[in-house]
């Protein structure tokens, strides 16, 4: 795991020099990049032994987690991806706003067809006015469980962090490990009509830790110097679980969320949904010893099985006995909603931000699970959902169906018949979403299936109210919007009420993935100023597979700098 550890600014600088093989100067008005970073990704299988079992996993460059993409703010990044695996592949650069580079966003059948075995596709994008910790991951089937890695974007040369410069930086990737083949697992779960099995283990930087079978030595460790302060870049790359993270006897000071600086905020633990990133400062100010870094489940839904065994890594002081007893990390109980709310309450942008005050497009979107009627001739095999139904998920009661072409290509080339532009801006029916939702088949638990999109005018100021529902169970949903970050101007429990909702229009956090509170709502705002086809979905992979997503089409504006460019020559074909 040496590649995951940034030990000093000097080490980082040497990496930058290594990858910065070319410098290009572009017009300031066009997102062409200050300098260019080149990476070569090969999608490959690798034999790995964990949890007493040897299997092949899909990786990038035979690394698990995958290689770190290092860059500086405003850099151009070019990544050549060659698929040497037996599976279809795409890579999504999660949180990269893809200014005028929608073709490189990566979600399969949304902005591109998959890269098939033996094919190559080159992703190109500019990290325009972006810095901080992001992640990349596969965006086809459930391959992101092993195909993922960090994106670390440093400030421009000479621009300091707005907080104490750390002695060292470390990347901490939270994940889930599965013994089953992930492509086959998704297919089996969807065929069953029921929910997924629990993960076989949680992992920290690919290591399960000592609580699992055959894993006493499969443990990640950070050696720390007493009195020094460390920056931990926390990333949740898991599939189907949200997770708490804590370090025994140490405070975590949040200084960044989703690659945007925040006002420093100290807490005993943080919760990250899949796709979320948080940077925290930790000072080694405790007696010399060995302290656990713990990762445990946050499960807000009712009656859903989950992996309850915690993953453990070590925050170990120099001078501590190598095998001394580690103090346990104080993780909250699995359903501690207050612990999640407390952290969210503390997140504020570092400075006042330009929140859109007037709204052009005001959308209200319900999110939640559904149960479809069972019409299978073999219900015992195919209808294992709640009350003998088939599980689904939806936005405004519409379960999104991925097409078998690239939606972006269909939109760009005016190819008709693959999608419609009639996604409703409000629910088809209003009721007590949280407390009065039906939850027994066949009483209104079904969703409509379709590939529906919502069209936004270029430059429109958008407000989205995301409302959790209790059709099957209320749940915290990590909702991710591609191509944009957004201001989280409000959130609360219960049904959204515009008369009583409190909004922060001064310094709300600027995020790309928001955990919509269990049995509650979140309000986000952004300006639709990046033309293209953009996916918005729940980042719990099973919910995405069930259809909890929608596509926004942002139309072109005026002139070249507001117009979606033509597709690259090597865009994969379906």
């Amino acid at each position: 795991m040496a590649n995951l550890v940034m030990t000093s600014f000097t080490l980082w600088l040497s990496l930058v020099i290594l990858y910065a093989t070319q410098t290009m100067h572009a017009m300031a008005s066009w997102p062409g990049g200050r300098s260019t970073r080149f990476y070569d990704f090969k999608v490959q299988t690798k034999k790995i032994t964990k949890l007493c079992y040897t299997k092949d996993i899909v990786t990038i460059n035979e690394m698990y987690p995958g290689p770190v993409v290092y860059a500086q703010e405003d850099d151009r990044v070019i990544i050549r991806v060659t698929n040497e695996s037996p599976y279809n592949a795409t890579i999504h650069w999660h949180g990269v706003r893809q200014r005028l580079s929608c073709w490189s966003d990566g979600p399969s059948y949304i902005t591109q067809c998959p890269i098939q075995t033996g094919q190559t596709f080159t992703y190109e994008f500019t990290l325009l006015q972006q810095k901080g910790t992001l992640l990349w991951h596969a965006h086809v089937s459930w391959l992101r469980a092993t195909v993922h890695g960090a994106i670390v974007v440093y400030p421009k040369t000479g621009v300091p962090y707005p907080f104490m410069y750390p002695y060292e930086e470390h990347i901490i990737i939270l994940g889930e490990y599965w013994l089953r083949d992930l492509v086959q697992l998704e297919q089996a779960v969807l065929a069953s009509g029921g929910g997924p099995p629990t993960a076989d283990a949680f992992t920290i930087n690919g290591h399960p830790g000592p609580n699992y079978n055959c894993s006493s030595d499969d443990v990640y460790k950070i050696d720390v110097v007493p009195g020094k302060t460390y920056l931990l870049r926390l990333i949740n790359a898991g599939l189907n679980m949200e997770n708490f993270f804590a370090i025994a006897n140490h405070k975590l000071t949040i200084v960044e969320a989703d690659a945007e600086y925040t006002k420093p905020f100290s807490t005993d633990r943080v919760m990250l949904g899949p796709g979320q990133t948080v940077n925290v400062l930790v000072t080694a100010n405790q007696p010399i010893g060995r302290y656990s870094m713990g990762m445990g489940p946050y499960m807000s839904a009712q009656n859903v099985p989950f992996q309850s065994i915690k993953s453990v890594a070590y925050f170990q002081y120099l001078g501590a006995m190598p095998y001394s007893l580690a103090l346990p990390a104080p993780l909250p109980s699995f359903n501690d909603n207050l612990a999640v709310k407390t952290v969210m309450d503390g997140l504020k942008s570092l400075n006042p931000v330009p929140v859109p005050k007037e709204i052009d497009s005001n959308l209200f979107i319900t999110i939640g699970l559904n149960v479809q009627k069972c019409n299978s001739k073999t219900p015992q095999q195919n209808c294992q959902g709640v009350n003998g139904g088939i599980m689904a998920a939806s936005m405004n009661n519409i379960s999104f169906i991925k097409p078998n072409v690239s939606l972006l290509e269909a939109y760009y080339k005016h190819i008709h018949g693959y999608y419609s532009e009639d996604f409703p801006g409000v629910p088809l029916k209003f009721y007590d979403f949280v407390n009065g939702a039906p939850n027994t088949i066949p009483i209104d638990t079904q969703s409509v299936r379709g590939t529906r999109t919502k069209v936004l005018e270029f430059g429109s100021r958008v407000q989205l109210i995301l409302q959790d529902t209790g059709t099957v169970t209320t749940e915290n949903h990590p909702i991710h919007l591609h191509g944009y970050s957004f201001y989280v101007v409000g959130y609360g429990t219960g049904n959204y009420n515009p008369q009583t909702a409190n909004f922060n229009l001064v310094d709300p956090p600027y995020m790309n993935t928001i955990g919509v509170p269990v049995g509650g709502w979140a309000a986000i705002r952004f300006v639709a100023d990046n033309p293209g086809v953009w996916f918005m979905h729940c980042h719990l992979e099973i919910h995405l597979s069930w259809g909890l997503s929608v596509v926004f089409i942002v139309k072109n504006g005026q002139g070249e700098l507001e117009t979606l460019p033509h597709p690259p020559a090597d865009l994969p074909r379906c």
Side-chain angles (χ1 to χ4, degrees), residues 167-442:
Y167 178 71
E168 285 181 356
E169 300 183 3
H170 296 266
I171 295 168
I172 304 289
I173 299 181
L174 312 180
E176 292 172 90
Y177 191 79
W178 306 76
L179 292 175
R180 293 180 62 178
D181 177 282
L182 290 155
V183 173
Q184 295 175 8
L185 177 63
E186 183 198 26
Q187 293 169 348
V189 170
L190 293 180
S192 76
T198 61
D200 295 291
F202 294 128
T203 58
I204 297 176
N205 284 348
H207 299 280
N211 292 340
Y212 296 95
N213 291 336
C214 305
S215 301
S216 59
D217 294 323
D218 198 352
V219 189
Y220 181 71
K221 178 170 67 85
I222 297 174
D223 290 314
V224 300
V225 177
K228 299 296 185 181
T229 296
Y230 295 80
L231 179 69
L232 304 186
R233 299 178 180 269
L234 305 177
I235 298 169
N236 190 342
L239 273 189
N240 292 326
M241 281 299 299
E242 301 180 292
N243 293 99
F244 291 109
F245 177 85
I247 303 178
N249 289 26
H250 289 76
K251 289 283 189 182
L252 309 177
T253 300
I254 299 172
V255 293
E256 177 189 304
D258 280 3
E260 292 291 333
Y261 294 137
T262 62
K263 291 180 173 65
F265 169 63
S266 290
T267 178
D268 291 326
R269 70 281 199 198
V270 293
M271 194 286 287
L272 291 85
Q276 291 186 311
T277 65
V278 175
N279 282 8
V280 298
L281 293 174
V282 183
T283 300
N285 56 7
Q286 295 300 303
I288 289 176
R290 196 184 202 195
Y291 298 85
S292 291
M293 295 190 289
M295 169 196 180
Y298 171 52
M299 173 51 74
S300 56
Q302 300 294 316
N303 303 315
V304 176
F306 59 91
Q307 174 60 262
S308 60
I309 300 174
K310 299 174 178 64
S311 180
V312 170
Y314 295 132
F315 193 76
Q316 184 164 313
Y317 285 62
L318 292 178
M321 296 298 292
Y323 296 100
S324 58
L325 188 66
L327 291 173
L331 292 171
S333 62
F334 72 90
N335 57 357
D336 191 340
N337 300 323
L338 182 59
V340 177
K341 181 181 184 300
T342 301
V343 172
M344 191 63 205
D345 287 346
L347 291 183
K348 312 286 183 188
S349 286
L350 181 62
N351 299 305
V353 288
V355 184
K357 302 298 193 298
E358 309 219 345
I359 300 301
D360 304 305
S361 186
N362 202 344
L363 309 178
F364 188 105
I365 298 179
T366 57
I367 57 178
L369 306 185
N370 302 85
V371 185
Q372 314 288 57
K373 289 181 183 177
C374 173
N375 297 314
S376 171
K377 295 179 180 178
T378 55
Q380 288 187 331
Q381 287 78 37
N382 307 119
C383 303
Q384 297 176 17
V386 175
N387 294 329
I390 297 170
M391 300 305 298
S394 63
M395 290 189 171
N396 278 351
N397 212 42
I398 297 167
S399 290
F400 185 83
I401 304 300
K402 279 190 178 182
N404 56 5
V405 300
S406 159
L407 272 185
L408 178 61
E409 206 167 356
Y411 165 69
Y412 184 83
K413 295 180 177 179
H414 306 288
I415 304 172
H416 300 290
Y418 290 103
Y419 67 94
S420 61
E421 298 181 353
D422 58 349
F423 181 84
V426 295
L428 303 178
K429 183 169 64 172
F430 276 83
Y431 54 95
D432 182 347
F433 296 115
V434 174
N435 304 300
N439 50 30
T440 54
I441 298 173

Side-chain angles (χ1 to χ4, degrees), residues 94 137 139 142 144 238-242 273-275 300 365-369 393-395 400 402 466 468 475-482 512-516 535-550:
H94 185 111
H137 59 78
H139 213 302
W142 287 9
R144 74 174 165 90
L239 273 189
N240 292 326
M241 281 299 299
E242 301 180 292
S300 56
I365 298 179
T366 57
I367 57 178
L369 306 185
S394 63
M395 290 189 171
F400 185 83
K402 279 190 178 182
L466 300 166
D468 186 29
E475 185 172 1
N476 187 293
H477 292 275
I479 301 297
H480 172 51
L481 175 60
H482 289 228
N512 63 61
T513 306
I514 175 61
V516 178
F535 210 20
M536 185 175 79
H537 61 91
C538 183
H539 222 273
L540 300 175
E541 204 70 13
I542 183 62
H543 292 179
L544 176 59
S545 299
W546 283 341
L548 211 169
S549 51
V550 68

Side-chain angles (χ1 to χ4, degrees), residues 497-510:
N497 184 337
Q499 270 71 50
T500 59
N502 289 320
F503 279 10
N504 174 8
L505 301 180
V506 178
D507 58 356
Y510 196 44

